[in-house]
Amino acid sequence: MKELDYIRVVLIQPTHPGNIGATARAMANMGIRHLALVQPRDFPSPQATARAAGADYILENAMVVKQLDQAIADCALVVGASARLRTIEWPQLPPAEAMDEAVKAARHTPVAVLFGRESRGLTNRELDRCHYLVRIPANPEFPSLNIASAVMVLLYELRNAAARAAGDEAATEPQTTAEPRAVAEDMQHFYRHLERLLTLLEFGNGRSDKLHRKLTRLFNRAQPYTREIRILRGIFAAVERKIGR
């Protein structure tokens, strides 16, 4: 199940080092080894090491960054976990389906699975980076899971999805290498270029945040190829040249 080597668990601003260690243990249980920590409050920590229960190698090799964009820059698919329903319309999948999509993408490029803060989860800006939102169907009267528990549930579904994919692949003809999807870093450059062009055209004045979120949802849903993003940015540049900028 080589796809598991391309999965990255991302914890955003974890406050309790024990949760980091327990997450590492869950990752080791399910065969995932790449962990990224965005602004952890207390790391490295003896408590994290103790709770890892032997998964120290995951903690030792964890990526520690200041911004979410650094943790997902090379990822073509980003899945965000949330315990609550959102008022913002966003593509939502049940755990099994979300992890099926993660495994498909991980055949060719890194995939990130995001987990938010213990107290309030993911912000709307962080959701803007996600292609899908996944919600574990827990007891509606007590839906909030401990981070490590949520990680274990989704990685269990991920491992099952990888096993299913391996069985399907063995029963079919080998496929040609797929064209690469644009990764998160490419998409952020694209969105900034698009925003500059819209400002230059004075399009959407007064409603830029709402317009930006809608356009982000549109292109995240499309999951464009790298070549397609280059074509679009080439068009943007041509428009800028035409109007003298």
Side-chain angles (χ1 to χ4, degrees), residues 84-129:
R84 53 194 172 94
L85 295 172
R86 303 288 179 148
T87 56
I88 297 174
E89 293 182 9
W90 211 260
Q92 297 189 35
L93 293 176
E97 291 181 27
M99 295 304 100
D100 279 337
E101 294 298 323
V103 166
K104 290 175 188 175
R107 291 172 180 168
H108 311 292
T109 184
V111 170
V113 184
L114 309 187
F115 297 86
R117 301 147 192 83
E118 290 96 333
S119 58
R120 55 192 175 92
L122 298 171
T123 67
N124 288 338
R125 284 189 175 275
E126 289 156 359
L127 285 179
D128 284 344
R129 301 294 190 267

Side-chain angles (χ1 to χ4, degrees), residues 176-239:
T176 57
T177 302
E179 184 177 355
R181 300 278 183 181
V183 300
E185 185 176 31
D186 297 331
M187 295 306 298
Q188 290 313 304
H189 288 311
F190 168 77
Y191 290 134
R192 284 194 285 270
H193 197 168
L194 176 59
E195 192 169 2
R196 288 199 306 271
L197 181 61
L198 294 179
T199 300
L200 186 61
L201 296 172
E202 298 181 354
F203 184 87
N205 287 351
R207 54 189 178 94
S208 58
D209 286 347
K210 186 176 292 186
L211 176 63
H212 178 77
R213 179 155 287 125
K214 288 181 177 179
L215 290 172
T216 298
R217 287 205 306 265
L218 168 64
F219 286 102
N220 278 355
R221 188 167 61 246
Q223 296 183 50
Y225 297 114
T226 302
R227 176 175 53 85
E228 293 170 334
I229 288 298
R230 289 174 181 163
I231 291 171
L232 288 172
R233 292 196 65 188
I235 294 172
F236 296 169
V239 172

Side-chain angles (χ1 to χ4, degrees), residues 5 7 28 49 53 57-58 63-64 68 70 75 77 91 108 120 128 152-153 165 168 172-173 198 212 218-219:
D5 290 335
I7 301 295
T49 302
Y57 64 96
I58 292 177
M63 176 194 305
V64 181
L68 173 59
Q70 295 171 277
C75 297
L77 184 72
H108 311 292
R120 55 192 175 92
D128 284 344
M152 177 59 88
V153 170
D168 292 343
T172 59
E173 292 292 327
L198 294 179
H212 178 77
L218 168 64
F219 286 102

